[in-house]
Amino acid sequence: MKRILLLACILGAYTVGSFAQKTIGLDNWFNHETNAKTGKFFHYTWDDKEMSGFSQLGDLFKSRGAELKTIGKPNSQSMMGIDVYIIIDPDTIKENPTPNYVDAGDIKFLKKWVGKGGVLLFLTNDGPNCEFTHFNQLAKTFGFYFQPITLNPVINRDWEMAAETNLPDHPLFAGVNKIYMKEVAPIILSKSARPILKDGDHILIAETQFRKGYVLAVGDPWLYNEYIDHWMLPESFENLKAASNLVDLLLKKTGK
C-alpha cells in the first residue's frame, strides 16, 4: 500500500497534458522475449505489470499526457510520430533463440531519426545478459561503447552493494540522494558524448546531443517495476524520483 501511495503522490504532482501530444515508443524487436508459461511477450514491456515490466515507468509518462506505443523493427512506418524511442536490453541467444540483432539498416535509420530531432534512450544490461556485439555498432554511432562486464553485483539482498550516492548536479538527479543500480555495464565515450554518473573511473550513465536530437545511455535496465519504487528496495533508495526526473528530461528534450 505504501508503494502505491508513493507512486500516486509522484503522479499527482503533475498535471496531465503538461507534455501533451508526445508519443513514447518502447522497442519490442531487439528485446523480444516470450514468457514460456503464457506465450506472451514480457520482460521490459509496457504491458508487463510484474516485477519484470515497465508498466510503472509507462504510468509516469502517461501522467504527463504522453501516449505509449510498442515498436517492432524501427523504420519510417513503425516510428511515425514517435518522439522518444527506448531500446532496452537487446536479446542474447539464451533469451531468444532467434534474436533480432541490430543491422546496418537499423543504424542508418536511427542515425537519421535522431539527427532530425528524435530522443533516444539506451537501457542495456550487464555482460552476460545483453547482446553487445551488434548493439555497440549502433551505440558507437552516438559516441557510446558498452563494456560487456558487470559492476555493482549484489549478494542476496545486500542492497547497499548497488547503491550510488555520489550523484551529479544534473536534471536526472534533481532532489535525489541515493539510487539503486545493480549489475551495470560501464560505458566508454567518444565523439561529443559526456558522462553524467560515474562510479570511480567507470561511467554508468552518459548523454550526447546529436545534431538536432538527444541520446541518453544507461548501462542497466534500471527503472523496471522491481526497482523503480519500494516493491523490493528499502525506503532510502529514490529510484522513483529519479524515474520521474528521467521522464521529464526526455520529454523536455523533444521540444528542443
Side-chain angles (χ1 to χ4, degrees):
M1 178 62 71
K2 184 182 292 184
R3 179 180 65 82
I4 296 173
L5 289 175
L6 180 58
L7 181 58
C9 289
I10 293 288
L11 296 177
Y14 298 88
T15 302
V16 172
S18 58
F19 292 103
Q21 299 179 341
K22 301 298 182 183
T23 304
I24 316 303
L26 179 63
D27 165 63
N28 191 225
W29 179 254
F30 307 114
N31 168 53
H32 199 74
E33 296 181 61
T34 303
N35 188 308
K37 294 182 179 180
T38 65
K40 296 181 179 180
F41 293 118
F42 84 122
H43 210 198
Y44 311 138
T45 67
W46 293 137
D47 295 334
D48 187 350
K49 296 183 179 181
E50 300 302 319
M51 289 192 291
S52 55
F54 265 79
S55 62
Q56 291 186 38
L57 186 66
D59 287 341
L60 289 172
F61 277 112
K62 289 191 291 185
S63 74
R64 274 69 162 176
E67 180 183 1
L68 306 181
K69 287 192 175 181
T70 298
I71 306 298
K73 186 174 178 62
N75 54 42
S76 58
Q77 183 175 356
S78 66
M79 294 284 286
M80 186 178 297
I82 299 298
D83 297 288
V84 178
Y85 179 46
I86 306 172
I87 299 178
I88 303 172
D89 186 31
D91 292 338
T92 63
I93 293 177
K94 179 180 177 181
E95 297 165 323
N96 178 356
T98 57
N100 298 311
Y101 294 136
V102 170
D103 62 29
D106 301 322
I107 296 170
K108 181 179 180 180
F109 173 80
L110 289 172
K111 181 178 180 180
K112 184 177 180 180
W113 180 81
V114 174
K116 289 184 175 180
V119 175
L120 178 59
L121 171 62
F122 292 141
L123 297 172
T124 62
N125 214 328
D126 62 316
N129 297 303
C130 185
E131 195 285 320
F132 285 117
T133 301
H134 298 83
F135 180 73
N136 269 328
Q137 297 301 307
L138 170 62
K140 74 178 185 180
T141 300
F142 304 105
F144 309 113
Y145 177 86
F146 293 90
Q147 296 178 274
I149 59 177
T150 301
L151 302 179
N152 291 6
V154 174
I155 300 173
N156 297 323
R157 294 192 177 185
D158 186 357
W159 309 109
E160 295 300 321
M161 293 180 69
E164 294 290 337
T165 56
N166 187 24
L167 304 178
D169 181 14
H170 187 277
L172 185 57
F173 297 113
V176 179
N177 297 303
K178 182 179 179 180
I179 62 168
Y180 184 84
M181 294 191 78
K182 174 187 175 184
E183 299 176 352
V184 187
I187 311 168
I188 296 174
L189 305 184
S190 62
K191 301 182 179 181
S192 60
R194 54 192 179 272
I196 295 177
L197 177 63
K198 298 181 69 174
D199 188 332
D201 293 331
H202 295 294
I203 298 169
L204 308 185
I205 303 177
E207 65 183 347
T208 190
Q209 194 72 35
F210 185 81
R211 298 174 186 167
K212 294 182 179 180
Y214 175 77
V215 187
L216 180 68
V218 184
D220 187 57
W222 190 25
L223 296 173
Y224 53 103
N225 294 346
E226 184 174 5
Y227 298 126
I228 194 174
D229 199 353
H230 301 116
W231 192 331
M232 296 286 287
L233 295 178
E235 295 289 336
S236 61
F237 290 96
E238 299 175 295
N239 280 28
L240 179 58
K241 176 59 178 173
S244 182
N245 289 346
L246 172 71
V247 166
D248 288 338
L249 172 65
L250 296 176
L251 289 173
K252 287 177 181 177
K253 289 294 184 181
T254 65
K256 297 294 184 182

